[in-house]
Amino acid sequence: MIKRFLSFEWKQFTRASYFQKGLAIKILLILASIYFGGIAIIMGGSMFFILKELVPEVDPIITINNFIVYWFLFEILIRYFIQQLPVMNVKPLMTIPIKRNTVIHYLLGKTTLSFFNFLSLLVFLPFSIVLLVKGYPVLNVFCWFVSILFLTLSINYLNFLVNKSNLVFYIIAPVLIGLIGLEYYNIFAISKPIGVAFNTLYNTPYLLILPLLLCIGLYYINFKYIKKGFYLDDAISKKVKAVNATDLSWMNRFGSVAPFLKNDVKMIMRNARPKQVLMMSFFFLFYGLFFFTQEVYVEKMPYILAFAAIFITGGFLLSFGQLVPSWDSEYYKMLMSQNIPYRQYLESKWYLMVVAVIIAFILSTPYIYFGWDIYFMIAAGALFNIGLNTFITLFGGALNRVPIELNTKAKAFSNTNGFNPTQLLIALPKMLLPIIIFFIPYQFISFNAGLIALAASGTLGIVFKNFFLNKIENIYQKGKYKTVAAFSEKN
């Protein structure tokens, strides 16, 4: 029966109208998996020696056990945003004599083939082999390694349960940031008690039973949860949801573009995919912590800080904006049949991105802690985002004709729904151009000259806003009917 399920899914994939697009994306994902898998193997194989050099007075296995809690916390967050849980069309299977248990076991079994499960294997297997070569006890190393795999599978099944809820984000993200901050400032080190637990797990092989029971327990809970709703009546019944009206009258101040802005805000508030992208863009605010805390970037390569500044204030622009006009694909035909100027539609998207950049800039105020030069760099990056990146993003949207399902259950990062390879090319000038604009004046004049050049480029873009919007409108108008036809296709 499992073989037949695999055959069904292969036929569904190869016979779909979007086979070529789906195949190209899957090839890219396979290449990316090979690349990151190779990095994981190298990291796992060299981790023992790196830790031995960095902390020579502490056994590497103890160091790993002390900080492995952060690996699992990051894994929970990454899985929540990126891991695409496997699904299959089970409605036709409900009408034929196939045991429900078989189908459910198959669905849960597919989750074990996730790249994230193999990532832990690729990291900790080489590390464990190095431990054995160095003479560590075989039984202890083996049981510790298997325990890590069971804990990884436990997180996999936990993600299956919580993937439909934002609760994990609201709990895990602040906890993770808080724990890192407390550890960094030596207030409270969560690594110590967790480290004791994992070291005990290593020193006492028979405790392997605890991760095994946790994994089995979560699998059983998932099985019962799926089986509870595995009925044809439940699958085809329509769920009625109460819609809360939102007062957005304050947006009327934007004039003729206000109806479009209200529509976008309501879309973000009421649909799963835009909500995920909005939460994802929030994380871009913390992007600067990686660069601004490294002296090599601040002192020797400050032009790289322009790259960080773009991401800090441009998270929403880069994630949400790149999928314009795909967000409106479900009703784009109706929208284009109305007596509405295309200019108003595009201008509303521009205002939405501008407001998001301004809000992100306000939220980035704590970066003053790193110095006024850093904060002025973020301000210059915000001006560049408003004055140039918004128009580059809208231009890229004219070439984006891939529809989006607003309430798809796919995760924001891993969801290729709405993906267009052209977006990768359009993203290059948005990331490289600010570095070039800052670098040339910085190299030949001074740091402040680079800031002025970056801010001035954005200011010029704002001044010539009407010119850019008119040019972009003409491009959209020329491809209008191709876009309507593309959005009408059903994946």
Side-chain angles (χ1 to χ4, degrees):
M1 187 55 67
I2 300 299
K3 181 180 178 181
R4 183 158 297 182
F5 285 157
L6 293 173
S7 174
F8 287 159
E9 295 204 42
W10 174 252
K11 290 176 181 178
Q12 180 184 13
F13 173 66
T14 56
R15 294 175 180 177
S17 61
Y18 55 94
F19 171 70
Q20 292 181 347
K21 167 183 170 289
L23 182 62
I25 292 174
K26 281 178 170 54
I27 290 174
L28 289 175
L29 292 177
I30 290 173
L31 292 176
S33 299
I34 294 173
Y35 173 75
F36 288 109
I39 293 176
I41 293 173
I42 295 172
M43 183 177 71
S46 59
M47 195 157 44
F48 179 91
F49 306 100
I50 294 174
L51 293 175
K52 196 69 175 177
E53 183 177 346
L54 293 176
V55 195
E57 68 277 6
V58 182
D59 192 329
I61 185 64
I62 295 177
T63 304
I64 287 291
N65 285 333
N66 286 343
F67 293 96
I68 201 171
V69 60
Y70 293 107
W71 169 272
F72 288 121
L73 286 174
F74 273 116
E75 187 176 347
I76 292 173
L77 277 179
I78 292 173
R79 282 177 184 271
Y80 176 71
F81 282 107
I82 301 180
Q83 184 178 7
Q84 177 62 54
L85 297 178
V87 294
M88 65 183 296
N89 189 9
V90 297
K91 291 181 184 178
L93 302 178
M94 295 180 179
T95 60
I96 56 180
I98 298 179
K99 292 182 179 180
R100 288 182 298 164
N101 291 3
T102 303
V103 179
I104 297 172
H105 283 306
Y106 174 72
L107 283 173
L108 290 175
K110 284 179 65 178
T111 66
T112 61
L113 299 178
S114 169
F115 172 74
F116 299 97
N117 297 330
F118 287 101
L119 189 61
S120 293
L121 177 68
L122 295 175
V123 170
F124 292 105
L125 179 59
F127 178 75
S128 299
I129 293 174
V130 173
L131 290 178
L132 294 176
V133 171
K134 291 296 181 178
Y136 285 72
V138 175
L139 181 62
N140 295 63
V141 173
F142 175 78
C143 291
W144 177 83
F145 171 69
V146 174
S147 297
I148 297 299
L149 294 185
F150 280 136
L151 290 173
T152 299
L153 288 176
S154 298
I155 293 175
N156 176 75
Y157 296 131
L158 178 65
N159 183 52
F160 199 100
L161 289 172
V162 302
N163 80 96
K164 295 182 180 181
S165 171
N166 294 329
L167 182 63
V168 66
F169 169 77
Y170 297 126
I171 294 177
I172 298 297
V175 168
L176 180 60
I177 295 171
L179 290 177
I180 293 175
L182 292 173
E183 182 111 27
Y184 181 80
Y185 291 105
N186 297 319
I187 299 174
F188 173 72
I190 187 64
S191 59
K192 292 182 179 179
I194 298 296
V196 171
F198 276 95
N199 284 318
T200 303
L201 188 64
Y202 170 78
N203 293 319
T204 315
Y206 66 82
L207 290 180
L208 166 67
I209 192 67
L210 297 179
L212 174 61
L213 291 176
L214 176 63
C215 183
I216 294 174
L218 286 171
Y219 184 94
Y220 179 76
I221 293 172
N222 272 285
F223 182 85
K224 287 296 184 181
Y225 175 78
I226 297 174
K227 190 173 182 179
K228 184 178 180 182
F230 201 86
Y231 294 96
L232 186 61
D233 291 343
D234 184 69
I236 64 177
S237 62
K238 294 183 178 180
K239 297 180 180 180
V240 180
K241 296 183 178 180
V243 178
N244 297 323
T246 306
D247 183 16
L248 299 175
S249 58
W250 59 272
M251 301 186 74
N252 292 332
R253 68 189 67 185
F254 290 99
S256 58
V257 302
F260 297 101
L261 288 173
K262 292 178 181 179
N263 185 62
D264 285 334
V265 172
K266 291 176 182 178
M267 176 190 67
I268 294 172
M269 295 172 61
R270 296 175 179 176
N271 296 282
R273 177 81 185 275
K275 281 183 180 178
Q276 293 171 5
V277 172
L278 182 63
M279 288 191 295
M280 180 180 70
S281 64
F282 175 76
F283 278 102
F284 282 80
L285 285 170
F286 302 97
Y287 199 82
L289 295 176
F290 176 78
F291 290 92
F292 300 152
T293 55
Q294 305 293 324
E295 293 184 4
V296 63
Y297 297 116
V298 177
E299 297 180 359
K300 297 181 180 180
M301 296 187 294
Y303 52 89
I304 298 296
L305 301 184
F307 176 83
I310 295 302
F311 272 76
I312 290 171
T313 58
F316 184 83
L317 182 151
L318 296 171
S319 55
F320 182 91
Q322 70 170 347
L323 295 176
V324 172
S326 293
W327 293 115
D328 305 309
S329 59
E330 293 188 3
Y331 49 88
Y332 196 78
K333 184 185 295 186
M334 181 275 294
L335 198 63
M336 293 297 105
S337 66
Q338 306 300 309
N339 185 23
I340 300 172
Y342 224 132
R343 170 61 180 271
Q344 292 181 7
Y345 173 80
L346 294 174
E347 197 167 8
S348 69
K349 304 298 183 185
W350 185 82
Y351 274 118
L352 186 66
M353 290 187 284
V354 168
V355 171
V357 170
I358 293 173
I359 293 174
F361 175 65
I362 294 172
L363 294 176
S364 69
T365 302
Y367 279 109
I368 294 176
Y369 171 81
F370 296 100
W372 286 103
D373 286 345
I374 297 297
Y375 190 65
F376 288 147
M377 175 67 80
I378 297 174
L383 281 173
F384 181 87
N385 279 329
I386 293 174
L388 288 180
N389 267 352
T390 50
F391 299 116
I392 296 173
T393 300
L394 288 176
F395 169 76
L399 308 176
N400 182 19
R401 300 190 177 102
V402 182
I404 284 180
E405 296 177 15
L406 295 177
N407 269 313
T408 179
K409 300 302 181 184
K411 295 304 179 185
F413 279 100
S414 64
N415 190 5
T416 56
N417 179 245
F419 174 82
N420 186 346
T422 307
Q423 295 168 4
L424 300 178
L425 298 177
I426 297 298
L428 290 178
K430 289 191 284 188
M431 294 184 287
L432 297 180
L433 190 58
I435 296 178
I436 296 172
I437 292 175
F438 174 83
F439 176 77
I440 296 175
Y442 161 75
Q443 188 71 18
F444 295 100
I445 306 177
S446 67
F447 180 87
N448 290 335
L451 286 181
I452 293 172
L454 188 61
S457 63
T459 304
L460 284 174
I462 296 173
V463 172
F464 291 99
K465 166 195 163 188
N466 291 331
F467 171 80
F468 286 127
L469 283 178
N470 288 336
K471 292 295 182 181
I472 294 171
E473 180 187 5
N474 292 334
I475 298 173
Y476 273 83
Q477 287 284 9
K478 290 179 181 179
K480 174 179 177 179
Y481 295 105
K482 290 182 180 180
T483 305
V484 170
F487 285 166
S488 298
E489 293 183 5
K490 300 294 183 182
N491 287 347

